[in-house]
């Protein structure tokens, strides 16, 4: 394929991805038992054979560790059976030579199969679905999903199969950077939080935060971790970890996530980690005024039908207070709109409006596009912007070397 059509195709796919629904990208927890920190040391005639021998050794050791942890005695299984229930090997650290393999590995076992063999229950008490909003402070600035970060990558690596917390992990695409950022954790309004959580299929939010401090270039790195929870940004615990240099930053973050997850699980068991009642409330339906009509004047087929209004979230660019007023006025002028209220004001950014409209979201989008707005659809929400004005067209009859003379 020629280069130019290929680039156009890639750009089209990117635009379609940007306008995709919010909730479809959320990742939920896995279904496996994981054993970490399995030390192996294996030798063989070549490097590949040594590595395979090390992985088989890790499966055996991991199974014994898992069975003892679940109170099943720590019996051994044949390698063929282990091959059928091991769902993955996680390399935590490895050293490879032509004939030797030394490593620290993690082993993941299929939860249902392993539980059936051990005679234990595969079910665990899980929390309600909780939206994960990780914040990393580095260089004095906060970062969530605005761009790729080591903290988001670390949470993507984290295996939630052994956790009682049902994490909903956004994919950091589409409108995620707009809805989930550091400013969001300072909002206390339950109505706004309900709209955001509904878009991701979650009932509440957990906010793990890390501050990264580098002692000097190439020197030790300190991570100050916080486990926070809920719209009120409640602090559950705080601790610090340190590594020798920046190359060990992934290990530092993985260790921090493990302790944060343990804190959330302990808070769940203690009853501290529970869904805020304000997030479960729903707005009352708007009253519908049904006009009284004399049916002796109109036939049965001419009686008007009263339509209940639905509530939608609309995001609009508001560089100034005048833009806020103009945006609300434009929305109120759309036929079928019953009311417009301001949920979140952000001068110089994106403000959030709640619109009561007689119709579905597609009809509201079409009505806004007919009024000159550019519209991107989300789950129960719209993002509207004004198109940029075209550059002025110069008069082609006037050449650049013409001049006026007196």
């Amino acid at each position: 394929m020629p280069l130019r059509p290929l680039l156009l195709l890639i750009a089209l796919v990117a635009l379609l991805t940007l306008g995709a629904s919010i909730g479809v990208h959320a990742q939920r927890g896995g279904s496996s038992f994981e054993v970490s920190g399995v030390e192996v040391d294996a030798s063989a005639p070549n490097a590949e054979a040594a590595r395979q021998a090390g992985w088989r050794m890790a499966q055996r050791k991991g199974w014994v560790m898992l069975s003892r942890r679940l109170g099943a005695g720590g019996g051994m299984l044949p390698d063929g059976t282990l091959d059928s229930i091991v769902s993955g090997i996680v390399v935590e650290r490895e050293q490879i030579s032509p004939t030797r393999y030394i490593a620290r590995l993690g082993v993941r076992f299929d939860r249902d199969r392993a539980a059936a063999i051990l005679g234990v229950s595969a079910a665990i008490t899980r929390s309600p679905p909780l939206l994960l909003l990780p914040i990393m402070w580095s260089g004095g600035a906060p970062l969530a999903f605005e761009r790729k970060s080591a903290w988001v990558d670390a949470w993507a690596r984290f295996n939630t199969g052994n956790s009682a917390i049902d994490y909903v992990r956004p994919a950091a695409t589409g409108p995620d950077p707009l809805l989930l950022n550091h400013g969001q954790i300072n909002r206390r309004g339950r109505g706004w939080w309900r709209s955001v959580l509904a878009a991701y299929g979650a009932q509440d939010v957990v906010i793990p935060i890390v501050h990264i401090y580098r002692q000097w270039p190439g020197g030790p790195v300190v991570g100050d971790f916080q486990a926070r929870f809920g719209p009120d940004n409640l602090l559950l615990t705080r601790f610090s970890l340190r590594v020798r240099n920046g190359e060990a930053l992934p290990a530092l973050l993985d260790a921090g996530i493990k302790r944060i997850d343990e804190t959330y699980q302990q808070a769940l068991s203690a009853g501290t980690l529970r869904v805020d009642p304000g997030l479960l409330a729903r707005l009352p339906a708007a009253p519908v005024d049904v006009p009284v009509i004399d049916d002796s004047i109109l036939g049965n087929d001419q009686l008007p039908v009263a339509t209940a209004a639905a509530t939608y979230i609309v995001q609009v660019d508001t560089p100034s207070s005048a833009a806020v007023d103009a945006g609300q006025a434009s929305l109120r002028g759309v036929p079928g709109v019953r009311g417009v209220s301001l949920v979140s004001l952000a001068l110089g950014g994106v403000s959030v409006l709640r619109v009561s409209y007689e119709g579905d979201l597609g009809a509201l989008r079409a009505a806004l596009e007919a009024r000159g707005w550019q519209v991107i659809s989300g789950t129960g929400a719209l993002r509207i912007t004004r198109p940029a004005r075209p550059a002025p067209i110069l008069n082609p009859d006037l050449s650049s070397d013409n001049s006026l003379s007196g």
Side-chain angles (χ1 to χ4, degrees):
M1 180 182 291
L3 180 60
R4 183 176 179 82
L6 179 60
L7 292 176
L8 292 176
L9 177 62
I10 293 174
L12 177 60
V13 172
L15 289 175
L16 292 175
T17 303
L18 179 62
S21 174
I22 298 172
V24 299
H25 301 290
Q27 303 174 4
R28 304 301 284 270
S31 180
S32 62
F33 291 120
E34 181 174 352
V35 178
S36 59
V38 181
E39 302 284 349
V40 298
D41 186 346
S43 299
N46 57 68
E48 183 60 27
R51 189 175 195 179
Q52 293 298 326
W55 285 15
R56 281 201 175 276
M57 185 184 300
Q59 290 182 180
R60 299 174 194 139
K61 288 186 174 182
W63 177 255
V64 172
M65 294 168 64
L66 176 65
S67 60
R68 287 176 178 172
R69 188 175 73 190
L70 297 179
M76 290 294 296
L77 287 179
D79 288 336
T81 304
L82 289 174
D83 290 340
S84 67
I85 63 175
V86 171
S87 59
I89 300 291
V90 180
V91 177
E92 299 175 2
R93 185 188 68 232
E94 64 179 5
Q95 300 175 13
I96 304 175
S97 74
T99 60
R100 192 176 180 186
Y101 181 77
I102 303 174
R104 184 174 65 193
L105 305 173
V107 185
R108 294 178 180 175
F109 297 92
D110 182 88
R111 179 180 293 274
D112 294 331
R113 294 179 181 179
I117 294 174
L118 293 173
V120 298
S121 174
I124 59 175
T125 302
R126 301 299 294 264
S127 72
L130 302 176
L131 179 63
L132 179 69
L133 178 50
I135 306 291
M136 183 178 77
W137 284 81
S138 181
L143 181 65
F145 293 109
E146 293 86 349
R147 58 181 174 84
K148 186 179 179 66
S149 73
W151 191 223
V152 173
D153 290 344
W155 277 101
R157 290 193 303 269
F158 178 62
N159 177 39
T160 62
N162 293 332
S163 176
I165 306 301
D166 185 6
Y167 294 102
V168 179
R169 293 180 282 193
T173 58
D176 295 343
L178 176 67
L179 295 177
L180 305 176
N181 50 53
H182 179 260
Q184 175 66 26
I185 68 176
N186 296 317
R187 291 191 171 103
R188 300 292 186 265
R190 287 347 189 225
W192 167 248
W193 270 110
R194 281 198 300 269
S195 301
V196 172
L197 294 173
Y200 293 91
Q203 295 185 19
D204 214 319
V205 60
V206 288
I207 310 167
I209 300 176
V210 60
H211 290 251
I212 299 298
Y213 302 100
R214 292 175 170 84
Q215 303 297 308
W216 60 80
V221 179
V222 177
D224 180 26
F225 296 89
Q226 301 176 27
R228 293 180 175 271
F229 164 69
D232 292 327
N233 200 15
L234 298 176
L235 178 64
L236 298 179
T237 189
R238 182 172 186 171
F239 59 92
S240 295
L241 299 175
R242 182 177 181 272
V243 291
R244 293 182 177 180
N245 52 57
E247 294 181 356
L249 179 61
L252 172 74
L253 298 179
D254 291 343
I257 288 176
K258 184 177 180 181
R259 287 187 56 176
I260 287 177
D261 176 68
E262 291 173 354
T263 297
Y264 286 141
Q265 293 191 69
Q266 293 169 4
L268 178 66
S269 300
T272 305
L273 190 69
R274 58 179 183 271
V275 176
D276 189 309
L279 298 176
L280 300 177
R282 292 293 180 264
L283 295 175
V288 179
D289 297 328
V290 181
V292 179
I293 302 176
D294 186 357
D295 55 6
S296 63
I297 301 176
L298 299 176
N300 291 335
D301 57 344
Q302 297 176 313
L303 290 175
V305 179
T307 304
T311 301
Y312 304 108
I313 294 297
V314 177
Q315 303 171 11
V316 58
D317 290 332
T318 52
S320 63
S321 58
V324 178
D325 297 336
Q328 294 186 76
S330 179
L331 286 169
R332 290 191 180 100
V334 174
V337 171
R338 287 190 170 185
V340 178
S341 59
L342 184 63
V343 177
S344 175
L345 175 63
L347 296 181
V350 179
S351 296
V352 181
L353 305 173
R354 182 183 292 113
V355 179
S356 179
Y357 178 69
E358 294 179 349
D360 59 20
L361 194 63
L364 179 57
R365 172 175 181 163
L368 291 171
E369 289 177 338
R371 289 180 165 260
W373 292 94
Q374 292 181 345
V375 186
I376 298 176
S377 296
T379 304
L382 297 177
R383 173 80 160 82
I384 62 174
T385 57
R386 285 294 188 187
R389 294 183 179 180
I393 301 176
L394 300 179
N395 189 341
D397 295 333
L398 297 178
S399 58
S400 58
D401 58 348
N402 288 340
S403 60
L404 297 177
S405 59

